[in-house]
Every structure is written in C-alpha cells, then in structure tokens.
Amino acid sequence: MQPLPDGCVLLVKARSRSGANAEIWGPDGNRVRQGDFGDAIETVLTTPSGAIWVGYFDEAMGGHGPQGHGLARFTRDLEPAWVYPHRADLPSIADCYALNLAGETAWSCAYTAFHLVAVRDDQPIDYGAAPCNGALLTDGATGALIGGYGPEYDLITPFHIGEEHVTAVGGPRRLVRPDGLEVSARRIYGRGTELHVIVQQSWYRLDLAQLVESMRPAGWPTQPDADQRRPGGE
C-alpha cells in the first residue's frame, strides 16, 4: 500500500500470474482504476508527484514485460513509463534487494552485483559496489544500508555518495532496540530517509539524520537505536 496525490491510495498484490494486481482507490472509497504490474513484486514506492516505482524479485526474471527488467516505473494510469535497460555497462538486476526514493530519484541495490544505482530523469547511474546489502536509506548524498547475510542481519553501514562511487563512512554498527535488546524476528522497510522496523506489535523508526550525525568521529555511538512507535501512533 502506497500513498498517491489527491488522497488516493495504491494497493498492489505481490504475486500475479495474469490479470490486474494493482488498484488505485480514491478518498471517497471507490476504486478509480486497476492495472497489471506483473508477477514477483518485491517493493513498491511512490514519489511526491505520483510516479510508481516497482522492484521485482528473482521469480520475475522469466516473465515478459516490465517484470523481466527487475525495476520499472509506472504512471498514475498504471501503465509502464520506464524500465531498467539491459545494457552491458550497467549491472543486471536478478533480484531488486533494495529500492528507495530521494524525491523523484530512485535508488536500488540489486543481486548479483550489489551496485548502488540511481535513476534520475530516466537515466541510470552506476555508483559501483555498495559496502554491503540490505535495506536502503538515502537522501541522495548520504545513506545507509541495514542488514546482511547470517549474523550480519542487524548491521548498519553508513555511506557517502561521491561523483562516481559510494564510500563507507566509519565502521558498521548494530541496530538494537532502545532497551539494548537485539532486533530479531523483524520486518524492515526503508522509505526515503526513514527506516521502519516492525517487531511483533511494536513499531520502531530510525532516521538517516541520526546516522549522519553519528558519522562524526566524536559522536559516533556504539549502538544507535530506534525511536519506538506503537501501532496507531504517529
């Protein structure tokens, strides 16, 4: 579920063998339109202007249309407007592990190369290998990746985005809850500069600004934590 301008809401079903799996509902509770985004959807995010970005996981690669590209942008009419190009100078997308937006610019980190790639004005820009893989936060200049394989599932790795490459800033730190307990059995989402973590019935939030502050050597915390949010709260 994602917000759209004018109070509309986008609903998307991750799996679809055929037919419509995307719907827009108006603020009056009526369905405005429906469309087909394809199968094996990993992430859906909308921009302030209403552009719809869709990242796909590996089972989409055998399909036709936008899903076979791994990353696509759709219009408010739920029609494809742009797809990630199959080009030798760009890393291919077998599984769009991480997708996020900074304004109207989309940022992704995908299997197998795990390069940080921005799409700005329909032009993909490859910033090279990311320092790790996981949920992605970015404001377009700085960012952080949260997660990794095995015991590195809770690592936070801040980075700086240069003109041609991305550079890790400082060493990784572990994400913990405010009481110091580990963040396990969780669902984790990145939207813009905010990390949202759902642990059972609790909702936690960590903003990139807190991590940017922590990049300063004198103020680097050993274990940055998240602000707790309860279901139904802000």
Side-chain angles (χ1 to χ4, degrees):
M1 180 173 65
Q2 286 289 296
L4 288 169
D6 305 323
C8 290
V9 174
L10 171 70
L11 302 178
V12 180
K13 184 180 179 181
R15 305 308 306 259
S16 175
R17 303 304 181 185
S18 62
N21 66 334
E23 299 179 341
I24 293 179
W25 289 75
D28 57 1
N30 293 316
R31 188 173 65 191
V32 177
R33 63 180 58 88
Q34 58 184 354
D36 184 7
F37 282 179
D39 186 36
I41 294 174
E42 179 112 27
T43 309
V44 177
L45 291 171
T46 55
T47 73
S49 72
I52 303 165
W53 285 90
V54 180
Y56 299 85
F57 59 87
D58 55 0
E59 292 184 27
M61 294 304 102
H64 301 288
Q67 71 181 58
H69 292 258
L71 178 64
R73 191 183 79 248
F74 291 80
T75 68
R76 281 286 302 272
D77 293 327
L78 306 183
E79 296 293 334
W82 180 89
V83 294
Y84 188 81
H86 296 305
R87 286 182 3 203
D89 63 327
L90 290 173
S92 61
I93 297 179
D95 190 321
C96 190
Y97 269 35
L99 174 65
N100 209 335
L101 303 174
E104 298 294 322
T105 299
W107 294 82
S108 68
C109 185
Y111 179 81
T112 59
F114 292 117
H115 281 206
L116 188 68
V117 176
V119 182
R120 185 178 297 112
D121 298 326
D122 291 348
Q123 296 300 315
I125 305 169
D126 181 10
Y127 286 89
C132 68
N133 66 80
L136 172 64
L137 304 180
T138 184
D139 59 8
T142 59
L145 287 158
I146 296 90
Y149 291 118
E152 297 180 348
Y153 75 95
D154 58 355
L155 289 187
I156 300 176
T157 306
F159 60 82
H160 171 73
I161 302 170
E163 292 185 2
E164 298 181 351
H165 61 276
V166 56
T167 305
V169 178
R173 296 293 186 269
R174 293 196 179 276
L175 178 71
V176 298
R177 286 186 273 179
D179 57 9
L181 293 177
E182 65 176 327
V183 180
S184 60
R186 81 287 187 268
R187 288 176 292 162
I188 186 168
Y189 308 94
R191 180 172 178 81
T193 61
E194 291 189 341
L195 177 71
H196 297 272
V197 183
I198 309 297
V199 182
Q200 297 180 346
Q201 301 301 311
S202 296
W203 175 11
Y204 302 88
R205 183 185 66 85
L206 177 66
D207 193 271
L208 181 61
Q210 296 172 262
L211 296 176
V212 170
E213 180 66 23
S214 73
M215 290 177 188
R216 300 175 183 176
W220 186 274
T222 302
Q223 292 180 314
D225 57 22
D227 295 327
Q228 186 171 13
R229 297 295 179 95
R230 294 292 182 179
E234 254 320 287

